Amino acid sequence: MSGAILEVRDLERRFGGGRDLLGRPKPAVHALQGISFDLREGETLGIVGESGCGKSTLARLLVGLDRPSGGTIRLQGRDVTALAGREPRALARVVQYVFQDPVSSLNPRKTIRATLEAPMLHLLGLDRAARRRRLEELMEAVRLRSEFLDRYPHEFSGGQAQRIGIARALAAEPRVIVLDEPVSALDVSVQAQVLNLLDDLKQRFGLTYLFISHDLSVIESVSDRIAVLYFGRLAEFAGRAALFAEPRHHYTRLLLASAPVPGRRSVRAEEALAELPDPLDPPPGCAFAPRCPRSEADCLQRIPQPEDGARRDGGALHLAACLHPASGPLPPASP
């Protein structure tokens, strides 16, 4: 793998805010706060976290479907927000999006042929013969029969529809694909087929993936590095092996301990009912402190940064936004 193809620095996204007609401040929700990371060319970066942590908001910002409230996103050295406004076609040639719901992401009034030909025509400018060759290549790549091209989205299963969604993303010949929960709506056996397909396509076309999921087993199987989000902030960032072997942030340890593992009859769960903090009234200091077993007085006074709990794992930097990071592997699960 070479250098970074995507650079995110101090990214923020606020919803609401400002003032009303009487000059009174309106409430604002900070969906993302101070997110920074690099996506290296040729890797798969996993983004994981519970519902409401900002995963899908991040995905939309990265592909130019939404504008950040602060910070920068640079794709191959060019500002994504500027490209989305001035040169959306240039942006779409580099980065594409695979949506969570495979069926609703396809236009029900268009055949699969029309859906796949649109990026070839409007982004690549291919003529009829080139489009026909490209269609055959794409259908073969996603393992679907060519006769499906003249059918409509409602005629396909969820797994087939997701393959079509992947083919649509590939049609623009991008270098980066953002996958937003691409297998969460599929049966387990179909999930495995789609994940294997994505791995094959990555090798075949030299792709870079940013893979978003709440499923830790999926993230572990596909990712080179993993970013853990909590309440719109980066909680932990590390290589896959380091994060699963010895997680530093107590939220990451909670996620891993709560995930079902084959051969284990029970999982560890929090003793009290756990909820995210109120986004309209965030707590001072660390947002995870009310749920953290190692919370100290200073956790309630200062928002920890990813560098606070950082260390080196075999030369690679392991970041953890924790003032009192954990050490050692997770305790063995009880049968």
Side-chain angles (χ1 to χ4, degrees):
M1 290 184 291
S2 57
I5 190 171
L6 180 73
E7 301 174 16
V8 177
R9 294 291 181 271
D10 302 318
L11 190 63
E12 295 188 6
R13 182 62 174 103
R14 296 184 300 275
F15 295 98
R19 294 185 178 275
D20 61 19
L21 294 176
L22 300 178
R24 296 172 299 192
K26 295 189 292 185
V29 173
H30 286 76
L32 291 174
Q33 304 178 67
I35 300 292
S36 297
F37 63 86
D38 290 340
L39 177 63
R40 299 170 183 165
E41 188 168 5
E43 79 168 339
T44 297
L45 174 61
I47 307 288
V48 67
E50 59 193 334
S51 298
C53 71
K55 301 188 301 295
S56 293
T57 299
L58 174 61
R60 293 176 61 83
L61 292 174
L62 296 180
V63 298
L65 293 177
D66 195 5
R67 290 176 175 268
S69 305
T72 60
I73 307 169
R74 302 192 69 83
L75 182 64
Q76 293 184 312
R78 304 181 69 183
D79 185 84
V80 166
T81 303
L83 281 175
R86 296 195 304 262
E87 301 178 63
R89 293 186 180 182
L91 177 61
R93 284 290 308 273
V94 182
V95 61
Q96 281 287 318
Y97 198 139
V98 174
F99 295 86
Q100 179 175 356
D101 189 335
V103 177
S104 65
S105 68
L106 299 173
N107 190 329
R109 296 186 177 185
K110 289 187 176 182
T111 64
I112 303 310
R113 182 186 303 276
T115 296
L116 297 184
E117 279 191 333
M120 301 179 198
L121 181 62
H122 299 294
L123 298 179
L124 304 181
L126 300 183
D127 59 25
R128 186 186 299 272
R131 294 200 302 271
R132 183 171 62 252
R133 290 192 298 270
R134 182 64 174 160
L135 281 173
E136 293 175 357
E137 180 186 13
L138 286 176
M139 295 300 281
E140 184 272 330
V142 298
R143 303 168 193 169
L144 290 175
R145 298 196 300 272
S146 296
E147 56 262 33
F148 288 173
L149 286 168
D150 296 311
R151 298 183 185 179
Y152 290 86
H154 71 272
E155 301 180 68
F156 297 96
S157 67
Q160 291 172 327
Q162 192 60 289
R163 290 169 186 261
I164 294 167
I166 294 169
R168 177 179 58 187
L170 291 173
E173 300 181 356
R175 297 183 62 187
V176 179
I177 297 183
V178 176
L179 301 127
D180 187 6
E181 301 268 11
V183 296
S184 64
L186 307 178
D187 294 336
V188 174
S189 60
V190 181
Q191 285 186 14
Q193 296 172 13
V194 172
L195 291 175
N196 288 334
L197 172 65
L198 287 171
D199 185 58
D200 291 343
L201 294 174
K202 179 183 175 184
Q203 305 304 321
R204 177 172 176 175
F205 295 107
L207 299 170
T208 300
Y209 289 157
L210 190 138
F211 196 108
I212 294 173
S213 179
H214 65 274
D215 190 325
L216 284 165
S217 61
V218 170
I219 287 292
E220 183 179 15
S221 67
V222 303
S223 303
D224 298 301
R225 295 185 299 158
I226 298 170
V228 181
L229 299 187
Y230 182 75
F231 201 55
R233 291 185 177 275
L234 187 65
E236 189 160 359
F237 191 95
R240 173 184 57 189
L243 187 135
F244 277 87
E246 192 172 341
R248 301 274 288 162
H249 199 285
H250 299 283
Y251 172 62
T252 308
R253 297 174 79 87
L254 173 64
L255 286 179
L256 294 176
S258 302
V261 175
R264 187 172 68 189
R265 292 196 296 270
S266 62
V267 296
R268 294 189 183 90
E270 293 176 272
E271 296 180 0
L273 182 63
E275 294 184 359
L276 286 169
D278 183 356
L280 293 174
D281 185 23
C286 178
F288 187 65
R291 301 169 61 181
C292 182
R294 290 283 306 278
S295 177
E296 304 287 346
D298 55 348
C299 299
L300 304 176
Q301 299 170 1
R302 182 168 75 87
I303 297 175
Q305 301 302 311
E307 295 77 14
D308 288 331
R311 74 173 186 190
R312 291 280 176 180
D313 289 322
L317 191 60
H318 187 152
L319 300 175
C322 184
L323 300 179
H324 307 283
S327 61
L330 286 173
S334 58

